[in-house]
Amino acid sequence: MIRVGIAGASGYTGAELIRILWSHPEVKITALTSEKQAGLPISETFPSLKGIVDLQCESLAHCDLAGKCDLIFSALPHREGMEVVGGLVKAGKKVIDLSADFRLADYKTYEKWYGVEHTQKDLLPKAVYGMPEIKREQIRNAQLVANPGCFPTGAMLGLAPVLKSGWVETSGIIIDSKTGVSGAGRNAGLPFLYPECNEGVKAYNIAIHRHTPEMEQELTGVAGKEVSVTFSPHLIPANRGILSTIYCQMAENKSLDQIWELYHREYAEEAFVRILNKGNLSNTKFVLGSNYCDIGLAKDERNNRLVITTAIDNLAKGASGLAAQNMNIMFGFPEVTGFNGPGLFP
Amino acid sequence: MIRVGIAGASGYTGAELIRILWSHPEVKITALTSEKQAGLPISETFPSLKGIVDLQCESLAHCDLAGKCDLIFSALPHREGMEVVGGLVKAGKKVIDLSADFRLADYKTYEKWYGVEHTQKDLLPKAVYGMPEIKREQIRNAQLVANPGCFPTGAMLGLAPVLKSGWVETSGIIIDSKTGVSGAGRNAGLPFLYPECNEGVKAYNIAIHRHTPEMEQELTGVAGKEVSVTFSPHLIPANRGILSTIYCQMAENKSLDQIWELYHREYAEEAFVRILNKGNLSNTKFVLGSNYCDIGLAKDERNNRLVITTAIDNLAKGASGLAAQNMNIMFGFPEVTGFNGPGLFP
Amino acid sequence: MIRVGIAGASGYTGAELIRILWSHPEVKITALTSEKQAGLPISETFPSLKGIVDLQCESLAHCDLAGKCDLIFSALPHREGMEVVGGLVKAGKKVIDLSADFRLADYKTYEKWYGVEHTQKDLLPKAVYGMPEIKREQIRNAQLVANPGCFPTGAMLGLAPVLKSGWVETSGIIIDSKTGVSGAGRNAGLPFLYPECNEGVKAYNIAIHRHTPEMEQELTGVAGKEVSVTFSPHLIPANRGILSTIYCQMAENKSLDQIWELYHREYAEEAFVRILNKGNLSNTKFVLGSNYCDIGLAKDERNNRLVITTAIDNLAKGASGLAAQNMNIMFGFPEVTGFNGPGLFP
Amino acid sequence: MIRVGIAGASGYTGAELIRILWSHPEVKITALTSEKQAGLPISETFPSLKGIVDLQCESLAHCDLAGKCDLIFSALPHREGMEVVGGLVKAGKKVIDLSADFRLADYKTYEKWYGVEHTQKDLLPKAVYGMPEIKREQIRNAQLVANPGCFPTGAMLGLAPVLKSGWVETSGIIIDSKTGVSGAGRNAGLPFLYPECNEGVKAYNIAIHRHTPEMEQELTGVAGKEVSVTFSPHLIPANRGILSTIYCQMAENKSLDQIWELYHREYAEEAFVRILNKGNLSNTKFVLGSNYCDIGLAKDERNNRLVITTAIDNLAKGASGLAAQNMNIMFGFPEVTGFNGPGLFP
C-alpha cells in the first residue's frame, strides 16, 4: 500500500481522484488539503463520499504532506501550487501535478501564455509530460509528472498515430473540441451557472486557448517536426465529456482501411484506447466515468482530408483517471489497477 | 465464482447489471439474452462495454440459461418473462426477477393492476420480496427473489423505521416521487424523446401507478397494520435518480432529534443506507451510479407532520444494484462485494 | 404609450420583463438600472437583446426613475429595494415590486421570516397583493402592487377554487413544488453551478421556505378561514418552470367531475389559466415562455384526497409575465396585451 | 389577411410555424394536416397551443389545401410531400417547402444524396432557394420556395461575405456544426431518447451528411466559383440551437478588423443577422426562440485562418422562422412582421 495525498482536494478533479483511488487496492489516502474546507471531513464538501471517505481536510500550511505521503497529487490551480510542488519534489517526494505549471518545457512559453512568472524553472527538466501512450518509459522513472490538460489528452491520442507515421500534414491541423462544464472547475462564476449553460452551446477562446502550446509541443515531439494547430474549444451543456473533432490534410495516399489498421496496430497494447468500428464515430456518453478514449475515423475523400473523433471523460482520462494511470506506472502497478471497467450508461 | 446470466440484457437495467457484475470478484457472466440483438456482442448495443464485455447475445429460445448459469437475473418486461422465470425456478435455478410479476403475494391484485393474467400462481408463495433492509433472512434462503420496483425501494426505506415504531399514522401517507427518464426503460416512445422531456417536469399516473399496491403490501407488513398511500410520480429531465418526498402525520409526540436517532439506530448496520446530517435533505446527485439510499428528515411542527426525503439511483439501488445486493445475500457473499463505493460526482 | 422603468434590470426577472414589454404596443421602456452594469447597454448583459434593446443601464443613484417613468417595476432583491419603492410611491409613481417586501400585510411576519427590519411599514396598507385572478379589482386601483412569489402563484391558482367553495379541508394542505434553477436568480453561487445541478434533484427548505406565510395569508383570504400549508420546494435541472403538486383532503363529498366543472366555471373568464382535460396532468414544458398556468386534477378515491397539479413558467406567470399582466390591469389595457400566445415548444 | 395552411403540422417545424404565425397580424391559419392526428385539434398534439390554436387536423387526402389557403407551408418529410407540393404549385398556389425536395437544382444530385427518385423535375427550375440574405429578389417573385436546411442556413450566413469578396479560399472549407436534438424531428427513435442523448456529445455522418451538396451549390453561387466543404454535424444535449464553427484559409491579406467591417457592411440592412462585438463568439443561448443569426469572428494569425462562428435556433431561423420570413417577402409584408424580437433567456 502506498500513502497518497491530494493537495487541493475540494475541486472536481479532487473529487474524481478520491473516487478512483478509493477502489485502488494498493492505495491509502492519507492526506487531503483544502483551504476553504480545512477542519471539515471531505464528505461535507462531497456528500457522495459520506460514510466512505470521511477524512478531514487540512489547510496546506498545516499539513505535512511530505511526511504523510509517498505520492502527492497536486490539484491546486496553476501558479498557486508551483512552490508546493517544488517543495515536495525537493523533499524527495513523487508528485503528479494536475495543473499546467510543469507541462511546458520552455518557461518562456509558459510565462507568455499564462501571464505569470515561473518560479521553479530548475524543475522543468525533471518534469515528464504524463501521457502514458506516448511517454510511458519516461513516466516510469519520473519523480515529477506534469499531468496533461484535458483537451490535449483527447487531441493527442487522436493525432499521434498519423503524425508519427507521417501520413498527414503537420501544419494547419484543426482541433474542434466540445467540453462539458466541469472542465471549468468548481468555482462560482456567472457564466457557469446552470441557466447560463443549459440550452446553450458556445465557442470561446478560439485560437487563443492555453492548451494550444501544450498540444503543439507534444505533437511536435511525436511527429518529429513542427506541428501547428488551430484549437477551438466549445462549451456544451453536459457535466462531463470532451469530444474532439480533428481535421488534417492527408500527406500520403492512404485509404481509410489503411488508416484504421494503423490505429489498431498503434494502440493494440493500450488498455484505455479503443478504436471504434468502421462507420462509428465517437460519443462521450460511452466513456463517462471511465478512463477510456474512444477514437473514430472518417475520411472526406472529396477534400483528401482525415477527420478523427475522440471522446474522453474530461475528469477521468482527461485529468484524474490519467493521473491515477500515471501513478500506476510510476509505482509499477499494472496499469489498469483500480479502474472499474465500463463507465456509467446511461 | 458463480455463473450468472441475464435474460433481457439489452435494456437499461441489463446494462447496469453488467456494469456492476463486471467488478464482482465472485461472478462470471456466462449468458446474455436479447431478441433484438441476438447474434451480436452486447457491446454493439452498449458501446460503453466495448473491449470489456463483448459476450454475444442469444435469443431466449436458443439459450440454455439453466445449463449455463447458477443464477439468472430476469430483466424481461412484466408478463413477458413470467414463464421463463417459472421454467428456471422449476429447473431448480436461483432467479432474481426484476419485473413486477412476483412482487405481489395476491395474484388478484397483480391481475387487477397489471391487467394481465398470472400464469405462475403456484410460484407466488415461493417468491421473496427482495428488500434486504426489511427481509434479509428470507432472501438468504430464497430461490426466487422478486426485486422491488424503483419507486417502492426509496419509499419503503424512508418509511420503514417510523412505521415499525408506530410513530406515524398508517393511513393517508403521501409519496411524491421525482424520477429520471431511464425509469421508463429503453423503448422508443414519443413522450421520452429528448426534446419532449428536456426543460419539462410533469406529473403522471397520480394515484393510479402500479407501484402503489407493492408499496402498501410491504409497508403493511412492516407496520403490522394496514397502510394506505397516495403515490404521485413525476418525470424529471435527468437520466438517473429518484427523489421521494414522503409526508406522514405524527401519531406519537416525538421530536426531530428522536426521529433522527431512530433512523440512525434502525439503519446502523446497513451498508447502503445513509442518514443525512440534521438540516440536510436528499439530493439524487450524490448517489448516482452507487447503491446508496440517502435519507433526510424534516418536521413541520406547525402541522405535526414528518417529511422524509430519500434519494436513490433508480437503476442501481432502484433496480440492478439492489439485484446484485440480493445476489450477494443469496450466495453468502459479503453484501458490499462488487460495489465500488462512491457514485459519480459531478 | 406609458413610460416604464425597471430597477434592478440585470437579473433574470429583469431580462424577462424587457422581453415581454418589448412586444407591448402601449409601453416604452425609458429607464433601466443596474449597479454592476451601469454605463453599459443592457444588451451587453443580455446579448439576446442586441440590436433590439440597447438602452444603457444607469446606477440607481443617478437615475431619475420618477422623472422618466409612469410606472416602475422593482426587480431589486428584497430589503434592498425597500426605500427605493417607498420613495417612488411617495413621489406619486405607480410601482410593481417583484420582491417580497410588500407582500405580507403584517410587518412582524415579514421581519420574522426574512430576518430584516421593515422600514416602510406605513406603505403596507396601500400595497395590493398582485394576483389578478383573486384581486383584480384592487389591483385596478392600486398604486403599489406587491407581485406574488413564484411558488405562491402556481399554488394559489391551484387551490383557490376548492378553498373558496369549501370543498376541501383548510388545514394540512401539502404543496410539493419542483422549480427550475432560474428561480434562484442570477447570482454566482456554488450550488447553482451547472455541474452541481445537472443530473440532480434535491429537496430544500422543507417547511421553512419564506413563501409559506405568503401562501397562507392569501389562501386564508380566499377560504375565509385560517389555512395552513406544508410547503416543500425542490430544485430540478431545468432553466424555467415550476410544477406544484398539491394535496388536500376532501371536506365535502364531490366527484372529480364536479371538481373539474368547478374549476372550469371559476376560471371561465381568465385568459391565462387553462384547465387540462380529464386524465391530463400538468407539464411545465407546455407553458415555457408563456403566461399560462395549466391546472390538472386527480382524485385519490381510496384516500379521499384531491391532488391538484399546476405548471407555470416561474419567470413569466411566476414573476415578470404576472407583473406585466398587473400593469395591464393598472393602466386599463386589455389583460392579454403584449403577450404572444403560446410558449416555446419544444 | 392571407390564409395559410401547413401540411404535416404535427412535427416540430409545424409547431414552431404555428407559434410564429399566431403572432402575425396578416396571417390566418386555415388548414393543418396530419395523418396521425387527423380529426383531433392540434392542441391535443401540442398542449402548449391549448386555448390558443385549437384548429382540427385533417388528413392530407381530405383537406382542400388549395381551396382553403393562399399559401401552403409543406412540413412533410422529403419525398413524401413531393407530389403534394407539385399539385399545389400546379394549382397556382404559393408554396414554401421545408423539405429538401426542391433545394437542389440538379435532380441527379438530389437522387444521389437522397436515394429516391425525383418525380417533379419540371418544377425544379421554378423553385427558389429561400435564403433571403442571398436571394431576396428571386424570393419576392417566387411561387415555390425551397426553404433551406437548418445546417446550411447558419453556414451560409457565416460564409457569404468572405466568399463573395474573394478573401478566403473556396476549397477545403470546414463546417463543424453542433445541433440540438429537435433537429432530428419528432419521430420516436432509440438514438433520440432522453437518456441516450443527455450527458453525451457525438459526431455523426461526417463528410456524408445530405446538407453538404446544398451548401456547396449555394456557396458556389455566392463565390462565383466552385466551393467545396467538409461538413461535420454533431448532436448536443439541447432542445434547440445550431452552432457552426467554420474554418477557412485566407486568400487575401486582410486583418480581423477589415473582415469585421466587411461583415458589418454586408449585413447592415439585414434585420435578422447580428455581428457580435470583436472578441465575442456565438452562443446559441442568445438566439433561442428568435429568428436571429449571431455571427462571431476570430482569426488564427499563426495559421492564417479565419474562424467564423454562427448561432441560430434550428427551428426558427433554421426552419420555420426562415419560412415565415420568406412568406413576408413573397407577400410584400415588412420582413420583421410577426416576429417578437428577442428570444427566450435564460
Side-chain angles (χ1 to χ4, degrees):
Chain A
M1 297 278 277
I2 60 170
R3 298 168 308 149
V4 165
I6 303 170
S10 60
Y12 291 139
T13 51
E16 183 72 350
L17 267 171
I18 296 170
R19 183 182 77 89
I20 293 170
L21 296 176
W22 186 87
S23 291
H24 199 292
E26 309 283 352
V27 164
K28 187 175 161 57
I29 303 175
T30 53
L32 300 172
T33 85
S34 165
E35 303 315 297
K36 287 179 223 144
Q37 307 292 326
L40 296 171
I42 188 69
S43 51
E44 290 258 314
T45 305
F46 302 122
S48 57
L49 299 176
K50 187 178 164 69
I52 307 170
V53 183
D54 294 310
L55 191 64
Q56 198 169 298
C57 293
E58 299 169 83
S59 77
L60 256 177
H62 295 95
C63 181
D64 178 16
L65 283 168
K68 287 182 171 179
C69 312
D70 304 309
L71 167 70
I72 297 95
F73 293 96
S74 174
L76 297 165
H78 78 266
R79 185 62 193 83
E80 281 185 37
M82 210 180 258
E83 283 84 13
V84 178
V85 168
L88 289 165
V89 170
K90 279 153 199 169
K93 292 288 143 182
K94 293 193 176 183
V95 179
I96 298 176
D97 182 10
L98 284 86
S99 86
D101 287 347
F102 297 92
R103 292 181 196 152
L104 296 169
D106 180 353
Y107 77 89
K108 286 189 222 111
T109 309
Y110 176 87
E111 295 187 342
K112 182 178 130 201
W113 284 81
Y114 288 84
V116 289
E117 200 198 338
H118 205 299
T119 67
Q120 309 286 317
K121 299 182 187 75
D122 54 321
L123 287 185
L124 286 172
K126 269 183 109 89
V128 173
Y129 191 84
M131 198 69 203
E133 290 80 2
I134 295 175
K135 300 197 157 168
R136 184 169 281 112
E137 291 318 306
Q138 289 119 292
I139 296 166
R140 210 180 294 287
N141 303 305
Q143 189 197 345
L144 170 57
V145 163
N147 214 58
C150 53
F151 289 119
T153 298
M156 290 188 289
L157 288 170
L159 279 164
V162 275
L163 281 175
K164 210 156 117 186
S165 67
W167 290 6
V168 297
E169 301 291 351
T170 51
S171 70
I173 293 169
I174 290 170
I175 299 164
D176 186 296
S177 296
K178 297 90 179 163
T179 183
V181 187
S182 64
R186 194 161 187 257
N187 307 301
L190 207 53
F192 305 110
L193 282 188
Y194 184 89
E196 307 280 323
C197 295
N198 191 41
E199 281 294 291
V201 182
K202 70 169 184 181
Y204 66 99
N205 282 355
I206 287 185
I208 55 171
H209 192 282
R210 288 164 169 177
H211 284 176
T212 309
E214 186 182 332
M215 292 178 184
E216 294 187 341
Q217 167 185 292
E218 293 301 312
L219 291 172
T220 294
V222 167
K225 58 177 172 167
E226 189 96 3
V227 170
S228 74
V229 306
T230 299
F231 172 53
S232 302
H234 300 79
L235 193 72
I236 296 297
N239 287 342
R240 290 172 175 237
I242 293 177
L243 187 86
S244 291
T245 312
I246 306 168
Y247 301 88
C248 27
Q249 289 303 126
M250 296 304 300
E252 298 202 13
N253 184 16
K254 301 290 176 182
S255 70
L256 184 57
D257 277 359
Q258 287 174 304
I259 299 166
W260 194 79
E261 280 154 28
L262 170 71
Y263 276 75
H264 263 281
R265 238 175 9 248
E266 197 64 36
Y267 288 129
E269 305 298 317
E270 290 300 340
F272 294 119
V273 179
R274 302 190 291 200
I275 312 305
L276 300 178
N277 291 349
K278 281 168 210 168
N280 289 1
L281 297 171
S282 309
N283 185 341
T284 59
K285 183 129 205 102
F286 299 123
V287 298
L288 292 190
S290 85
N291 203 44
Y292 292 93
C293 175
D294 281 0
I295 301 180
L297 298 166
K299 201 172 163 207
D300 182 2
E301 301 288 356
R302 301 181 322 132
N303 290 293
N304 198 30
R305 190 174 265 156
L306 177 66
V307 187
I308 308 157
T309 63
T310 69
I312 60 169
D313 180 326
N314 60 305
L315 292 180
K317 184 66 173 172
S320 304
L322 179 54
Q325 187 182 354
N326 280 324
M327 172 192 75
N328 283 343
I329 297 171
M330 290 164 85
F331 283 87
F333 307 137
E335 217 160 311
V336 299
T337 314
F339 290 99
N340 294 311
L344 207 63
F345 177 86
Chain B
M1 297 277 277
I2 60 170
R3 299 167 307 151
V4 165
I6 303 170
S10 60
Y12 291 139
T13 51
E16 183 71 352
L17 267 172
I18 297 170
R19 184 182 77 89
I20 293 170
L21 297 176
W22 186 86
S23 291
H24 199 291
E26 308 284 353
V27 164
K28 187 176 161 58
I29 302 175
T30 53
L32 300 173
T33 85
S34 165
E35 303 315 296
K36 287 180 222 144
Q37 306 293 324
L40 296 172
I42 189 69
S43 52
E44 290 258 315
T45 305
F46 302 122
S48 57
L49 299 175
K50 188 179 164 67
I52 306 170
V53 183
D54 294 309
L55 191 63
Q56 200 171 295
C57 294
E58 298 170 82
S59 78
L60 255 178
H62 295 95
C63 182
D64 178 16
L65 283 168
K68 286 182 172 179
C69 312
D70 304 309
L71 167 70
I72 298 95
F73 293 96
S74 174
L76 297 165
H78 78 265
R79 185 61 193 87
E80 281 185 37
M82 211 180 258
E83 284 83 11
V84 178
V85 168
L88 289 165
V89 170
K90 280 154 199 167
K93 292 289 144 180
K94 293 193 175 181
V95 179
I96 298 175
D97 183 9
L98 283 84
S99 87
D101 287 347
F102 297 93
R103 290 180 197 153
L104 297 169
D106 181 351
Y107 77 90
K108 287 190 222 110
T109 310
Y110 176 85
E111 295 187 342
K112 183 178 130 202
W113 285 81
Y114 287 86
V116 290
E117 201 199 336
H118 204 298
T119 66
Q120 309 286 318
K121 301 182 186 74
D122 54 321
L123 287 185
L124 287 171
K126 271 182 107 88
V128 173
Y129 190 84
M131 199 70 204
E133 290 79 2
I134 295 175
K135 299 197 157 168
R136 184 168 282 111
E137 290 318 308
Q138 289 118 292
I139 296 166
R140 210 181 294 284
N141 303 306
Q143 189 196 346
L144 170 57
V145 164
N147 214 58
C150 54
F151 289 118
T153 298
M156 290 186 291
L157 288 171
L159 279 164
V162 274
L163 281 175
K164 208 155 117 186
S165 67
W167 290 6
V168 297
E169 301 290 350
T170 51
S171 69
I173 293 168
I174 291 170
I175 299 164
D176 186 297
S177 295
K178 298 91 180 161
T179 182
V181 187
S182 64
R186 195 159 184 259
N187 308 299
L190 207 52
F192 305 109
L193 282 188
Y194 185 89
E196 306 280 323
C197 296
N198 191 41
E199 281 295 291
V201 183
K202 71 169 183 182
Y204 68 99
N205 283 355
I206 286 184
I208 55 171
H209 192 282
R210 288 162 168 180
H211 285 175
T212 309
E214 185 182 332
M215 292 177 184
E216 293 186 343
Q217 166 185 291
E218 294 301 312
L219 291 173
T220 294
V222 167
K225 58 176 172 168
E226 189 98 2
V227 170
S228 73
V229 306
T230 299
F231 172 52
S232 303
H234 299 79
L235 193 71
I236 296 297
N239 287 343
R240 294 173 173 236
I242 293 177
L243 187 86
S244 291
T245 313
I246 306 168
Y247 302 87
C248 28
Q249 288 303 127
M250 295 305 299
E252 298 204 12
N253 185 16
K254 300 290 175 182
S255 69
L256 184 56
D257 278 359
Q258 288 174 304
I259 299 165
W260 194 78
E261 278 154 29
L262 171 71
Y263 275 75
H264 263 281
R265 241 178 4 250
E266 198 64 35
Y267 289 128
E269 304 300 315
E270 292 298 340
F272 295 119
V273 179
R274 302 190 290 200
I275 312 306
L276 300 178
N277 291 350
K278 282 169 210 167
N280 289 0
L281 297 171
S282 309
N283 186 340
T284 59
K285 184 128 205 102
F286 299 124
V287 298
L288 292 190
S290 85
N291 203 45
Y292 292 93
C293 175
D294 281 359
I295 301 180
L297 297 165
K299 202 172 162 207
D300 182 1
E301 301 288 356
R302 301 182 321 133
N303 291 292
N304 198 31
R305 189 173 266 155
L306 177 66
V307 188
I308 308 157
T309 62
T310 69
I312 59 168
D313 180 327
N314 59 306
L315 293 179
K317 185 65 171 171
S320 305
L322 180 53
Q325 187 182 353
N326 281 323
M327 174 192 73
N328 283 342
I329 297 171
M330 291 163 84
F331 284 86
F333 307 137
E335 216 159 312
V336 299
T337 314
F339 291 99
N340 294 312
L344 207 62
F345 176 86
Chain C
M1 296 279 276
I2 60 170
R3 299 167 308 149
V4 164
I6 303 170
S10 60
Y12 291 139
T13 51
E16 184 71 351
L17 268 172
I18 296 169
R19 183 182 77 89
I20 293 170
L21 297 176
W22 186 87
S23 291
H24 200 292
E26 309 284 353
V27 165
K28 187 175 160 57
I29 303 176
T30 52
L32 301 172
T33 85
S34 165
E35 303 315 296
K36 289 179 221 144
Q37 307 291 325
L40 296 171
I42 189 69
S43 51
E44 290 258 315
T45 305
F46 303 123
S48 57
L49 299 176
K50 187 179 165 68
I52 307 170
V53 183
D54 294 310
L55 191 63
Q56 198 170 298
C57 293
E58 299 169 82
S59 77
L60 256 176
H62 295 95
C63 181
D64 179 16
L65 282 168
K68 287 182 172 181
C69 311
D70 304 309
L71 167 70
I72 297 96
F73 294 96
S74 174
L76 296 166
H78 77 266
R79 185 62 193 85
E80 281 185 36
M82 210 180 259
E83 283 83 12
V84 177
V85 168
L88 289 165
V89 170
K90 279 154 199 167
K93 293 288 143 182
K94 293 193 175 181
V95 179
I96 298 175
D97 182 9
L98 284 85
S99 87
D101 286 348
F102 296 93
R103 291 181 196 151
L104 296 169
D106 180 352
Y107 77 89
K108 284 188 224 113
T109 309
Y110 176 86
E111 295 187 341
K112 183 178 129 201
W113 285 81
Y114 288 84
V116 291
E117 200 198 336
H118 204 298
T119 67
Q120 310 286 318
K121 300 182 186 75
D122 53 323
L123 287 185
L124 287 171
K126 269 182 110 87
V128 174
Y129 191 82
M131 197 71 202
E133 290 80 2
I134 296 175
K135 300 197 157 167
R136 184 169 282 112
E137 291 317 307
Q138 288 119 292
I139 296 166
R140 210 180 294 285
N141 304 303
Q143 189 197 347
L144 170 57
V145 164
N147 214 58
C150 53
F151 289 119
T153 298
M156 290 186 291
L157 288 171
L159 279 164
V162 274
L163 280 175
K164 211 156 114 184
S165 67
W167 290 5
V168 298
E169 301 290 350
T170 52
S171 69
I173 293 168
I174 291 170
I175 299 164
D176 186 296
S177 296
K178 298 88 179 162
T179 182
V181 187
S182 64
R186 195 160 185 256
N187 308 301
L190 208 53
F192 305 110
L193 281 189
Y194 185 90
E196 307 280 323
C197 295
N198 191 41
E199 281 294 292
V201 183
K202 71 169 184 181
Y204 67 99
N205 282 354
I206 287 185
I208 55 171
H209 192 281
R210 288 164 170 179
H211 284 175
T212 309
E214 186 182 332
M215 293 177 184
E216 295 187 342
Q217 167 185 294
E218 294 300 313
L219 291 172
T220 293
V222 167
K225 58 177 172 166
E226 188 98 4
V227 170
S228 73
V229 306
T230 299
F231 172 52
S232 302
H234 299 79
L235 193 72
I236 296 296
N239 287 343
R240 290 173 174 236
I242 292 177
L243 187 86
S244 292
T245 312
I246 306 167
Y247 302 87
C248 27
Q249 288 305 127
M250 295 305 298
E252 297 203 13
N253 185 17
K254 300 289 176 183
S255 69
L256 185 55
D257 277 359
Q258 289 175 302
I259 299 166
W260 193 78
E261 279 154 29
L262 170 71
Y263 276 74
H264 263 281
R265 241 180 1 252
E266 198 63 36
Y267 289 129
E269 305 298 316
E270 291 299 339
F272 294 120
V273 179
R274 302 189 291 198
I275 312 305
L276 300 178
N277 291 349
K278 282 168 210 167
N280 288 1
L281 297 171
S282 309
N283 186 340
T284 59
K285 183 129 205 103
F286 299 123
V287 299
L288 292 190
S290 85
N291 203 44
Y292 292 94
C293 174
D294 281 0
I295 301 180
L297 297 165
K299 200 170 163 207
D300 182 1
E301 302 288 356
R302 302 181 320 132
N303 291 293
N304 198 32
R305 189 174 267 155
L306 177 66
V307 187
I308 308 156
T309 62
T310 69
I312 60 168
D313 180 326
N314 59 305
L315 292 180
K317 184 66 172 172
S320 304
L322 180 53
Q325 187 182 353
N326 280 324
M327 172 193 73
N328 283 343
I329 297 171
M330 291 164 84
F331 283 87
F333 307 137
E335 216 160 312
V336 298
T337 315
F339 291 98
N340 294 310
L344 207 63
F345 176 86
Chain D
M1 296 278 277
I2 60 169
R3 298 168 308 150
V4 165
I6 303 170
S10 61
Y12 291 139
T13 51
E16 184 71 351
L17 267 171
I18 297 170
R19 184 181 78 88
I20 292 170
L21 296 176
W22 186 87
S23 291
H24 200 292
E26 308 284 352
V27 165
K28 186 174 161 60
I29 302 176
T30 53
L32 300 172
T33 85
S34 165
E35 302 316 296
K36 287 180 223 144
Q37 306 293 324
L40 297 172
I42 188 69
S43 51
E44 289 259 315
T45 305
F46 302 123
S48 57
L49 299 175
K50 188 180 165 64
I52 306 170
V53 183
D54 293 309
L55 191 63
Q56 199 170 296
C57 293
E58 299 169 82
S59 77
L60 254 178
H62 295 95
C63 182
D64 178 16
L65 283 169
K68 286 182 171 179
C69 313
D70 304 310
L71 167 70
I72 297 96
F73 293 96
S74 174
L76 296 166
H78 78 266
R79 185 60 193 87
E80 282 184 37
M82 210 180 259
E83 284 84 13
V84 178
V85 168
L88 289 166
V89 170
K90 280 154 199 169
K93 292 288 144 182
K94 294 193 176 182
V95 179
I96 298 175
D97 183 9
L98 284 84
S99 87
D101 287 347
F102 297 93
R103 291 180 197 152
L104 297 169
D106 181 352
Y107 77 89
K108 286 189 222 112
T109 310
Y110 177 85
E111 295 187 342
K112 182 178 130 200
W113 285 81
Y114 288 85
V116 290
E117 200 199 337
H118 205 298
T119 67
Q120 309 287 318
K121 301 183 186 73
D122 55 322
L123 288 185
L124 288 171
K126 272 183 107 88
V128 173
Y129 191 84
M131 199 70 204
E133 290 79 1
I134 296 175
K135 298 196 157 170
R136 184 168 283 111
E137 290 316 308
Q138 288 119 292
I139 296 167
R140 209 181 294 285
N141 303 305
Q143 190 197 345
L144 170 57
V145 163
N147 214 58
C150 54
F151 289 119
T153 298
M156 290 186 292
L157 288 171
L159 279 163
V162 274
L163 281 175
K164 208 156 120 186
S165 67
W167 291 5
V168 297
E169 301 290 351
T170 51
S171 69
I173 292 168
I174 291 170
I175 299 164
D176 186 296
S177 295
K178 299 91 180 160
T179 182
V181 187
S182 64
R186 194 157 184 259
N187 309 300
L190 207 53
F192 305 109
L193 282 188
Y194 185 90
E196 306 279 324
C197 296
N198 191 40
E199 281 294 293
V201 183
K202 70 169 183 181
Y204 67 98
N205 282 356
I206 286 184
I208 55 170
H209 192 282
R210 288 163 169 180
H211 284 176
T212 309
E214 185 181 334
M215 292 177 184
E216 293 185 343
Q217 166 185 290
E218 293 301 312
L219 291 173
T220 294
V222 167
K225 57 176 173 168
E226 188 98 4
V227 169
S228 73
V229 306
T230 299
F231 171 51
S232 303
H234 299 79
L235 193 72
I236 296 297
N239 287 342
R240 293 173 173 237
I242 293 178
L243 187 86
S244 291
T245 313
I246 305 167
Y247 301 88
C248 29
Q249 288 305 126
M250 295 305 298
E252 298 203 13
N253 185 17
K254 300 290 176 183
S255 70
L256 184 56
D257 277 359
Q258 287 174 304
I259 299 166
W260 193 79
E261 279 156 26
L262 170 71
Y263 275 74
H264 262 282
R265 247 186 348 259
E266 198 63 36
Y267 289 129
E269 304 299 316
E270 291 299 340
F272 295 120
V273 179
R274 301 190 290 200
I275 312 306
L276 300 179
N277 291 350
K278 282 169 209 167
N280 288 2
L281 297 171
S282 309
N283 185 341
T284 59
K285 185 130 203 100
F286 299 123
V287 298
L288 292 189
S290 85
N291 203 44
Y292 292 93
C293 174
D294 281 359
I295 301 180
L297 298 165
K299 202 172 162 206
D300 183 1
E301 301 287 356
R302 302 183 319 133
N303 291 293
N304 198 32
R305 188 173 267 155
L306 177 66
V307 188
I308 309 157
T309 63
T310 70
I312 59 168
D313 180 325
N314 59 305
L315 293 179
K317 185 65 172 170
S320 304
L322 181 53
Q325 188 182 354
N326 281 324
M327 174 192 72
N328 283 343
I329 297 171
M330 291 164 84
F331 284 85
F333 307 138
E335 216 160 310
V336 299
T337 314
F339 291 99
N340 294 311
L344 207 62
F345 176 86

